[in-house]
Amino acid sequence: MTEERSAVDVRIRELLHQMTLTDKIGQLNQIMGAEGRVTEELAHQVRSGLVGSLLNEVDRPTVNELQRIAVEESRLGIPLLVGRDVIHGFRTILPIPLGQAAAWDPDLVRRGARMAAREASQQGVRWTFAPMVDICRDPRWGRVAECLGEDPHLAGKLAAAMVRGFQGEDLARPDSLAACAKHFAGYGASEAGRDYNSTNIPERELRSVHLPPFRAALQAGACTFMTSFCDLDGIPASANRVLMTGILREEWGFDGFVVSDWESIPQLCVHGLCADPREAARTASRAGVDVDMMGRAYLNHLADLVAAGELHEAQIDLMVSRVLRVKLRLGLFEHPYTEAEGSLEEPPPAHLDMAYEAAAKSVVLLKNDHGLLPLSPERSSRIAVIGPLAREPREQLGTWIFDGDPSLSITPLEAIGARMAAASGGGVRPGEVRYVRGLDTTRSRDRTDIPATVDAARWSDVVVLCLGEESVLSGEGHCRTDLSLPGAQEALIRAIRETGTPVVLVVLAGRPLALDGVVDQVDALLMAWHPGTMAGPALADLLFGEIAPSGRLPITFPRVTGQIPIYYGHRMTGRPPSPETFVHMDDLPRGASQHSAGAASYHLDTHYTPLFPFGFGLTYTSFAYRDLRVTPSRIPPDGTVEVSVEVENTGERAGVEVVQLYIRDPVASVTRPVRELKGFRRVPLEAGERRTVTFALQAADLAFPGQDMAPVVEAGLIQVWVGGDSRANLEAQFEVI
Ligand code: BGC
């Protein structure tokens, strides 16, 4: 045990010794602030030691006053812990987490979280309910916006980076936030992509797909975890002892605390697991949930459960010690107050630069026919900017932006306008921009204004369409069954298409959309997610080629909603589809007979491939891969291979390639995914430049839960592919002996 650890433990023991049962239970109770007010009731609860943590109070003087009451007026002077959903920025907003994931850049994610921590901690927040590391393979689920994609390896690397960013080098520094890996576990698999719904995840899949990013967050130091709302195979997460105690603490050695989700302890009664809140408090605390967020079940019932002998006080002590450990590590006892000065009204330029960089790197170029992009103000001196998301400071920010400031936003319209004005200043031809909203919102069905968009399109040299989903269509409790563009947006696109003017579609959305119906109607397509405060400058610079797109999809894009779940790391099946077996229903002859011989695993009414695969993204240049080598060709189960490949920028512009390494274990004691991402790297390359990229792949990275669920690395052949997306076809192999 380190000295620091043992000093903390001594302090915890001393404190526990002085605490009454009521004091202890108070530490396990989390309530909400009163939005910038210190109400009598709140002051009373804090003074009486009935509350250990607060959420949703971000007014600095109020936080300090509540903290003063806790420190000076409560019996033991234990400081409060103030939490907030700081999800993708605080005042300055970064792209939604799914967008950040598209940058495939852990360091970017770390720096973004650091920036958010600096802003939030200025207001007295020292705990964020992030990162959300749920793996989501069903983008109907609104919370896909908050997740880090469909892949456990990518999400794990990014989750770890986000934890490091929030928590900083030293958790005790006043600008560090305690991170919270959520929602443990399985929430991303909510059936039908409907929020709060039940999940049914077989243990092997839980361990191979859903748990690894949590483990990565823990290994990066995440000092709190949050349970999930979902009922996992009959045992809601907030009552799930296997998860909270068996896996998290006994297998993984977690020593921080677990907080429930909002009222998820009393909701155990709604699930039908507990008869009343008292039983819910007993079940959750026994399962390993330390803090009750907003449920009041612990506050109201733990004392009685101890008195009745249904819960040992030693269990309460354990729960309290976990909370105190985090408070001590945060340095709250030494520095309970927020001494920051200055306001967040105007974030420092470095924060806007951060938001710009993150937005720029998160955008994915999905189509670019005839090199329409980048635009040049000389060739395209008249630009029609059309759509309900072109000039919406708030809608470009996305979900979970309680503290975000839309007045800081620079919209695509503003930035394109500025760029065109600058071009005219350069003395070429005056650049002109015409803006037509076209639809009131992304959901509007009213087509009255479509003719005006058609006029603008006819007038222009190129149309930039800003469509997609406004913020409210994704996020918690905001799920959809149809992922095509909502409202009359498809009709709008078709009408503009008929003018013959080239069209760039910029999609701003909280999830992958099913764009099969429109992808052929546009010449270029940029997926921008909800890019945040600096959406406009980032998009304008990408459109005009000041910078080149470098994002890659962290999640598969289906052709149509009915293909969901569709993800690259699926298992093979006994009858995989192939060009030889696939027949679209339009090609079936009249009276075709039905037989299953030779049939394969696909839908009749759409192709079996996705519209855009995981890892995909174009840029303004092209890359070639050659000379894939794996050495040595045989390794023991504790060995490492070096995978190297030469990548060349074969185009005429500089660009960034995201080099991706996939493997498959083709024959194993349990069937394995057709591909698994095991490494990735952003590689900047000048035109014509070649570089050898090397990955170290340990045999241990190939471990999977075997037939008995214990992790195994099995002897046998491993296939390796390296390339620019999950379809990479440059292949090599090695053998584990
Ligand atoms: C969400 C959590 C969030 C909490 C506090 C819940 O509804 O599921 O992710 O951290 O609220 O705002």
Side-chain angles (χ1 to χ4, degrees):
M1 193 182 286
T2 63
E3 243 170 66
E4 188 200 339
R5 238 337 250 294
S6 62
V8 166
D9 286 339
V10 168
R11 190 83 186 274
I12 292 172
R13 268 201 302 278
E14 285 169 5
L15 279 164
L16 276 174
H17 199 66
Q18 300 169 51
M19 293 169 92
T20 62
L21 184 58
T22 311
D23 293 328
K24 292 175 188 172
I25 293 170
Q27 290 303 309
L28 310 178
N29 183 37
Q30 182 181 48
I31 61 168
M32 200 162 74
E35 299 192 329
R37 286 173 307 133
V38 181
T39 58
E40 285 281 314
E41 172 62 14
L42 200 53
H44 164 74
Q45 294 192 65
V46 174
R47 192 175 296 120
S48 322
L50 296 177
V51 38
S53 54
L54 266 188
L55 80 166
N56 298 349
E57 181 52 78
V58 293
D59 175 58
R60 190 193 308 151
T62 308
V63 171
N64 277 342
E65 173 57 10
L66 289 165
Q67 203 62 289
R68 191 197 60 74
I69 297 172
V71 170
E72 292 180 12
E73 297 181 14
S74 78
R75 206 173 66 78
L76 292 173
I78 299 176
L80 294 166
L81 176 54
V82 178
R84 180 69 152 177
D85 291 279
V86 182
I87 307 295
H88 53 114
F90 185 74
R91 185 73 84 233
T92 314
I93 299 295
L94 302 164
I96 53 170
L98 188 60
Q100 290 184 49
W104 293 59
D105 187 345
D107 192 57
L108 176 89
V109 168
R110 183 190 63 78
R111 288 183 287 119
R114 191 87 289 280
M115 175 209 85
R118 274 197 297 270
E119 291 189 352
S121 60
Q122 276 200 41
Q123 298 304 107
V125 174
R126 293 298 307 281
W127 180 23
T128 173
F129 306 122
M132 181 179 117
V133 304
D134 299 310
I135 293 294
C136 174
R137 294 173 167 185
D138 189 335
R140 290 175 296 181
W141 192 46
R143 301 198 81 167
V144 66
E146 285 174 66
C147 85
L148 297 164
E150 75 180 40
D151 180 68
H153 179 83
L154 178 63
K157 294 283 179 218
L158 301 178
M162 210 180 268
V163 168
R164 292 196 182 98
F166 284 132
Q167 298 199 167
E169 310 240 303
D170 176 3
L171 204 54
R173 279 185 45 161
D175 66 356
S176 295
L177 305 186
C180 182
K182 72 186 188 185
H183 305 85
F184 200 58
Y187 190 26
S190 294
E191 272 189 349
R194 202 175 79 231
D195 209 359
Y196 316 123
N197 204 0
S198 303
T199 59
N200 294 296
I201 311 175
E203 185 178 349
R204 182 165 296 102
E205 187 173 322
L206 186 72
R207 287 185 177 274
S208 338
V209 175
H210 296 272
L211 296 186
F214 285 97
R215 184 117 201 230
L218 173 58
Q219 285 167 344
C223 54
T224 73
F225 269 56
M226 187 188 292
T227 68
S228 150
F229 283 127
C230 65
D231 167 344
L232 176 60
D233 189 24
I235 308 187
S238 299
N240 202 309
R241 192 174 158 79
V242 171
L243 285 175
M244 304 305 154
T245 300
I247 294 177
L248 184 57
R249 300 184 190 285
E250 292 168 3
E251 279 185 38
W252 296 356
F254 177 61
D255 70 353
F257 71 83
V258 174
V259 62
S260 76
D261 204 344
W262 188 284
E263 293 177 344
S264 70
I265 297 177
Q267 281 168 14
L268 295 175
C269 308
V270 189
H271 280 285
L273 189 84
C274 298
D276 51 38
R278 184 179 182 280
E279 190 186 336
R282 187 184 62 204
T283 310
S285 55
R286 283 187 180 170
V289 182
D290 305 305
V291 172
D292 177 356
M293 180 192 280
M294 293 300 294
R296 299 205 151 241
Y298 281 5
L299 187 73
N300 294 339
H301 303 290
L302 286 185
D304 182 42
L305 287 165
V306 171
E310 292 177 57
L311 204 63
H312 293 301
E313 191 162 344
Q315 171 67 24
I316 305 268
D317 287 356
L318 194 61
M319 294 156 73
V320 175
S321 66
R322 293 165 179 157
V323 174
L324 294 176
R325 183 171 299 121
V326 172
K327 290 188 174 184
L328 284 161
R329 288 181 59 202
L330 280 163
L332 284 171
F333 286 81
E334 289 71 30
H335 302 288
Y337 304 113
T338 302
E339 280 153 19
E341 283 170 10
S343 95
L344 284 176
E345 293 302 302
E346 283 209 17
H351 290 201
L352 296 177
D353 291 349
M354 180 72 237
Y356 166 83
E357 181 189 346
K361 286 182 169 169
S362 71
V363 175
V364 187
L365 178 64
L366 294 173
K367 179 175 179 181
N368 192 17
D369 278 2
H370 325 297
L372 174 62
L373 296 178
L375 303 175
S376 83
E378 292 80 47
R379 269 189 293 131
S380 310
S381 66
R382 291 173 160 187
I383 298 188
V385 178
I386 294 172
L389 296 177
R391 196 181 62 179
E392 282 300 302
R394 187 162 160 279
E395 302 308 334
Q396 69 188 40
L397 300 182
T399 183
W400 284 118
I401 46 138
F402 289 150
D403 307 291
D405 182 354
S407 76
L408 297 172
S409 290
I410 304 181
T411 64
L413 178 65
E414 257 177 283
I416 292 170
R419 171 73 46 170
M420 292 294 276
S424 64
V428 201
R429 270 194 295 163
E432 284 180 75
V433 174
R434 221 181 252 187
Y435 162 66
V436 187
R437 190 178 180 91
L439 298 168
D440 187 29
T441 70
T442 63
R443 294 159 285 145
S444 307
R445 295 202 174 85
D446 179 355
R447 302 181 180 196
T448 318
D449 291 339
I450 290 185
T453 68
V454 169
D455 289 346
R458 286 217 180 89
W459 161 87
S460 68
D461 299 315
V462 64
V463 175
V464 175
L465 271 176
C466 294
L467 302 179
E469 289 179 327
E470 60 225 273
S471 299
V472 77
L473 296 189
S474 61
E476 184 178 343
H478 289 72
C479 306
R480 302 211 290 127
T481 60
D482 176 359
L483 299 193
S484 54
L485 285 166
Q489 294 185 78
E490 291 201 4
L492 172 74
I493 295 176
R494 282 173 212 283
I496 288 174
R497 185 62 176 173
E498 280 179 12
T499 65
T501 307
V503 177
V504 182
L505 172 60
V506 178
V507 174
L508 294 96
R511 56 161 66 81
L513 296 181
L515 298 170
D516 211 24
V518 294
V519 71
D520 294 336
Q521 306 285 313
V522 301
D523 302 278
L525 171 57
L526 282 165
M527 182 65 200
W529 319 99
H530 286 132
T533 303
M534 295 298 276
L539 281 166
D541 285 352
L542 288 164
L543 289 169
F544 291 104
E546 284 293 308
I547 51 175
S550 62
R552 302 291 187 269
L553 295 179
I555 188 163
T556 304
F557 272 47
R559 292 171 189 274
V560 293
T561 312
Q563 283 184 303
I564 292 170
I566 182 167
Y567 51 93
Y568 86 91
H570 58 86
R571 299 200 299 281
M572 188 58 121
T573 83
R575 292 186 172 203
S578 64
E580 293 71 43
T581 50
F582 176 67
V583 185
H584 191 280
M585 67 180 184
D586 291 352
D587 300 324
L588 285 174
R590 184 165 177 194
S593 61
Q594 195 180 28
H595 56 83
S596 56
S601 177
Y602 61 76
H603 297 107
L604 282 171
D605 50 357
T606 190
H607 198 266
Y608 55 84
T609 54
L611 186 59
F612 299 111
F614 176 83
F616 177 75
L618 303 168
T619 183
Y620 298 151
T621 184
S622 50
F623 302 98
Y625 286 78
R626 66 175 79 80
D627 213 9
L628 175 61
R629 289 167 203 256
V630 182
T631 49
S633 56
R634 288 158 62 89
I635 54 166
D638 58 353
T640 301
V641 286
E642 188 183 274
V643 179
S644 69
V645 72
E646 190 181 283
V647 190
E648 180 181 355
N649 179 343
T650 49
E652 280 156 23
R653 290 182 52 122
V656 173
E657 173 67 322
V658 179
V659 180
Q660 300 162 39
L661 164 68
Y662 295 87
I663 62 113
R664 180 176 183 210
D665 186 342
V667 183
S669 60
V670 294
T671 58
R672 304 295 303 142
V674 295
R675 288 203 176 181
E676 292 176 80
L677 181 74
K678 290 293 175 187
F680 61 90
R681 182 119 8 105
R682 283 176 65 94
V683 182
L685 290 169
E686 295 298 326
E689 188 183 347
R690 294 176 185 193
R691 202 183 282 187
T692 299
V693 178
T694 310
F695 297 92
L697 179 63
Q698 298 180 4
D701 295 340
L702 310 172
F704 58 86
Q707 291 206 353
D708 62 358
M709 291 302 160
V712 278
V713 178
E714 290 182 349
L717 191 80
I718 300 293
Q719 292 168 286
V720 176
W721 295 268
V722 179
D725 63 52
S726 54
R727 298 167 307 186
N729 55 15
L730 192 59
E731 186 181 343
Q733 45 186 242
F734 68 96
E735 199 184 342
V736 178
I737 47 173

